[in-house]
Amino acid sequence: MSTCLPPSSVAVVLGTRPELVKLAPLIHELGAATRLVHTGQHWDEAMSGRFLRDLDLPRPELLTGVGGRPRAGQIAQSLGQLDAAFAEDRPVAVVVQGDTNATLAGALAANAREIPLVHVEAGLRSFDRAMPEEHNRVMVDHVADLLCAATPDNVANLRAESLDERRIALTGNTVVEVVRRQLPDEQARAALLTAHRLRPDGYVLATVHRPENTDTAEALGAVLAELDRIARAGTPVLFPMHPRTRAAVERFGLDGLLERVAVTGPVGYADFLGLAGHAALLVSDSGGVQEECTVLGRPLLVVRRSTERPEAVDAGFAALVQPGEELGELARAWLSDSPERLARLAATSSPYGDGLASARIAELTARIAESARPGAGAGLLAA
């Protein structure tokens, strides 16, 4: 149904690399109807450019002056440019994903111009008001015309806030198809492990980038000290380091905790999946990794005070831990029973759906665009 949409008529607004990853299959489903708009919140040719190529995405319209600003500045700068762009060339619908500053800016721009708004991954809630993302996702849900909820828990969250049932659709999460499509084949994965001198099921893969773990020497030092302890005990630790984390390590003088850890620069998405797919244990504060681990069948320790994705925890793939001793103790416990844990997770289905989410969302997007035409009538999801 999405093929009936005019060329470049659906504005897909995003601003970070995780959004590129999660929206890639939907962009492919929409095809020529996609008008990709990147706010520049996370933009650099080395990383964002590589993700566009790796995911086979079109070159986006790129906003200017957004990256590096504080939250309010990013939203304001993006909103002004998006409003002007939509006034000049009005899309039939706007699609946003998740809970970033770009997501909120895209949602407000669509709402101001009365353009139908589709929120992919609606209904996530951490119930932690200290998270800026929590405010973003709640506001977007309350102005969206179509709420694409990934899981029944997300649907329940939306219903609890008295949002119109006719706007809610249970679609599954696009992460399932992303991982299946982007995971390198067996030969490529073997070469990847050889290049990093790793054995399958014999190492820890770690990523840390969230402000709660990088903004203070105490928090970051607590995480790195436990990774160092794991490495000293004989389990290799591979640590692709985010630029924010690298800057924090240098600022706080924590380089000594990385002497036994195999530190690399950021890796491409497919390479990350290839490495994650053979790790005995993942340690991360990433939202996306909480979903990806369920498709890969790998255990994850989530180094965060709260999560908006409890499904991975409830299904037994992940556990929420604090930096420091709690992280170290649970990491050692999970590594000690690794074969049994990996076998159990391999037999456990992902809670994020059947891999058909993007097709469902594309069809619903076409319907909402059609229903918004003059004289088309009401009732988006009633048909």
Side-chain angles (χ1 to χ4, degrees):
M1 189 171 182
S2 60
T3 56
C4 300
L5 293 166
S8 302
S9 62
V10 177
V12 179
V13 179
L14 48 76
T16 67
R17 286 174 287 277
E19 288 167 287
L20 284 171
V21 169
K22 298 292 284 293
L23 286 170
L26 176 59
I27 291 169
H28 294 150
E29 286 287 339
L30 292 171
T34 301
R35 174 185 174 186
L36 187 58
V37 184
H38 197 306
T39 68
Q41 182 178 332
H42 287 178
W43 179 267
D44 57 80
E45 187 57 39
M47 288 188 69
S48 293
R50 180 205 299 177
F51 273 60
L52 288 168
R53 292 187 294 273
D54 289 350
L55 296 168
D56 192 26
L57 298 178
R59 194 75 180 175
E61 298 175 30
L62 184 61
L63 307 188
T64 60
V66 176
R69 291 174 178 264
R71 178 179 177 230
Q74 289 187 358
I75 295 168
Q77 186 76 359
S78 299
L79 180 55
Q81 294 181 62
L82 288 168
D83 183 64
F86 293 167
E88 181 178 349
D89 184 4
R90 180 185 176 88
V92 298
V94 172
V95 176
V96 296
Q97 187 270 335
D99 48 29
T100 70
N101 295 337
T103 304
L104 181 55
L108 293 175
N111 180 260
R113 292 281 169 184
E114 299 184 338
I115 301 167
L117 174 65
V118 178
H119 188 197
V120 177
E121 209 168 11
L124 273 69
R125 296 291 184 270
S126 67
F127 305 101
D128 179 358
R129 292 180 62 84
M131 294 178 69
E133 297 93 337
E134 182 78 352
H135 298 274
N136 288 354
R137 63 177 74 103
V138 170
M139 286 188 280
V140 174
D141 280 339
H142 282 259
V143 298
D145 299 285
L146 171 62
L147 297 156
C148 298
T151 70
D153 283 351
N154 299 155
V155 171
N157 289 337
L158 296 170
R159 288 173 175 160
E161 294 174 14
S162 300
L163 289 166
D164 189 341
E165 186 77 28
R166 293 171 299 174
R167 293 160 53 198
I168 302 170
L170 177 61
T171 60
N173 195 310
T174 61
V175 73
V176 178
E177 53 211 284
V178 172
V179 172
R180 289 174 179 172
R181 293 177 187 180
Q182 293 296 316
L183 184 66
D185 62 28
E186 185 176 355
Q187 184 176 357
R189 297 197 306 272
L192 190 60
L193 265 60
T194 298
H196 288 280
R197 300 180 180 179
L198 299 171
R199 293 182 298 102
D201 305 340
Y203 60 94
V204 171
L205 178 64
T207 70
V208 178
H209 74 278
R210 291 182 63 84
E212 68 183 86
N213 289 321
T214 60
D215 279 0
T216 68
E218 292 75 18
L220 184 56
V223 175
L224 298 184
E226 296 305 326
L227 296 180
D228 172 69
R229 194 166 287 121
I230 292 168
R232 280 193 283 119
T235 301
V237 177
L238 181 63
F239 187 24
M241 197 183 297
H242 191 283
R244 177 193 293 144
T245 310
R246 185 177 293 279
V249 167
E250 295 172 357
R251 184 168 66 253
F252 300 136
L254 298 175
D255 301 80
L257 294 175
L258 295 172
E259 291 177 357
R260 299 174 184 84
V261 174
V263 177
T264 73
V267 298
Y269 185 65
D271 283 354
F272 178 81
L273 292 178
L275 292 165
H278 289 292
L281 178 67
L282 303 170
V283 176
S284 181
D285 55 12
S286 163
V289 176
Q290 293 176 60
E291 298 165 342
E292 292 152 0
C293 75
T294 71
V295 186
L296 296 168
R298 294 285 141 168
L300 166 67
L301 296 182
V302 184
V303 190
R304 284 170 55 168
R305 62 176 171 260
S306 62
T307 181
E308 66 284 0
R309 295 172 172 86
E311 292 88 353
V313 175
D314 294 343
F317 290 94
L320 206 62
V321 296
Q322 294 296 306
E325 291 184 4
E326 184 181 5
L327 166 59
E329 289 173 3
L330 198 53
R332 288 186 286 276
W334 283 22
L335 287 170
S336 69
D337 71 351
S338 185
E340 296 83 1
R341 186 173 299 275
L342 291 176
R344 184 170 68 254
L345 295 183
T348 303
S349 298
S350 170
Y352 291 109
D354 56 8
L356 300 174
S358 61
R360 294 188 184 101
I361 297 168
E363 180 178 354
L364 290 167
T365 299
R367 283 169 58 181
I368 196 173
E370 180 66 23
S371 69
R373 291 175 55 198
L380 168 61
L381 299 181

